[in-house]
């Protein structure tokens, strides 16, 4: 089998990762204020889309917003204080850039791993590994 035949076979066998990128949309935060608490109504939908652990995302939100937060029995995040959607959206965008999108190929087909005390972002699409 010559090079061209091997290349053709490899191209036919490769997964269609470009289609995944075009389908990657992060849901806009739906927030509601209850007294001095902001309820992130669709927090579970965000977790499902990002494919990340709830505590990891919640800790990032807490750190970036400078507040305390918890997840209630319905899977909603309850943030102490009043926050508007644009501020929460900015924090989510920052999380996606840092912990979801591959810095090498730009695709969201990643997962987090821990190795020798370091947190790594591993890309399933291109195989890149980077520390976060």
């Amino acid at each position: 089998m010559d090079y061209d035949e091997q290349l053709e076979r490899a191209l036919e066998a490769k997964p269609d990762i470009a289609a995944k990128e075009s389908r990657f949309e992060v849901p806009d935060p739906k927030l509601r204020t209850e007294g001095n608490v902001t309820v992130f109504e669709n927090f579970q939908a965000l977790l499902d889309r990002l494919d990340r652990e709830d505590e990891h995302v919640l800790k990032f939100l807490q750190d970036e917003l400078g507040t305390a937060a918890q997840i209630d029995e319905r899977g909603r995040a309850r943030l102490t204080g009043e926050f508007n959607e644009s501020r929460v959206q900015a924090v989510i965008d920052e999380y996606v850039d840092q912990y979801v999108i591959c810095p090498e190929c730009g695709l969201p087909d990643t997962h987090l791993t821990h190795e020798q005390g370091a947190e790594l972002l591993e890309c399933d699409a291109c195989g890149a590994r980077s520390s976060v």
Side-chain angles (χ1 to χ4, degrees):
M1 188 180 293
D2 70 355
Y3 175 78
D4 290 331
E5 290 172 338
Q6 289 178 354
L7 181 61
E8 185 66 32
R9 200 169 107 199
L11 289 173
E12 289 173 6
K14 78 171 182 63
D16 186 14
I17 56 176
K20 288 182 185 176
E21 178 183 25
S22 63
R23 289 191 313 259
F24 185 72
E25 289 185 25
V26 178
D28 293 332
K30 290 187 174 74
L31 306 178
R32 181 172 48 85
T33 302
E34 285 182 0
N36 70 335
V37 172
T38 301
V39 181
F40 192 152
E41 294 284 347
N42 60 337
F43 185 67
Q44 191 60 53
L46 174 71
L47 296 175
D48 293 344
R49 189 66 193 118
L50 298 181
D51 193 25
R52 295 294 183 262
E53 294 292 324
D54 55 1
E55 292 299 325
H56 192 264
V57 177
L58 188 68
K59 182 171 180 353
F60 188 85
L61 280 171
Q62 289 179 95
D63 292 348
E64 294 301 309
L65 294 172
T67 189
Q70 65 209 34
I71 299 171
D72 68 14
E73 66 281 349
R74 294 173 60 189
R76 302 174 304 185
R78 299 179 62 82
L79 310 166
T80 303
E82 290 186 38
F83 300 96
N84 63 33
E85 290 179 359
S86 63
R87 176 69 179 116
V88 174
Q89 184 65 56
V91 172
I92 293 168
D93 291 344
E94 191 175 329
Y95 182 88
V96 169
D97 289 344
Q98 190 170 347
Y99 292 103
V100 180
I101 300 296
C102 175
E104 295 298 319
C105 69
L107 293 174
D109 304 328
T110 61
H111 61 276
L112 294 172
T113 60
H114 296 277
E115 190 173 292
Q116 298 176 354
E119 192 171 38
L120 300 174
L121 185 67
E122 291 189 20
C123 183
D124 298 329
C126 73
R129 294 174 51 164
S130 56
S131 64
V132 290

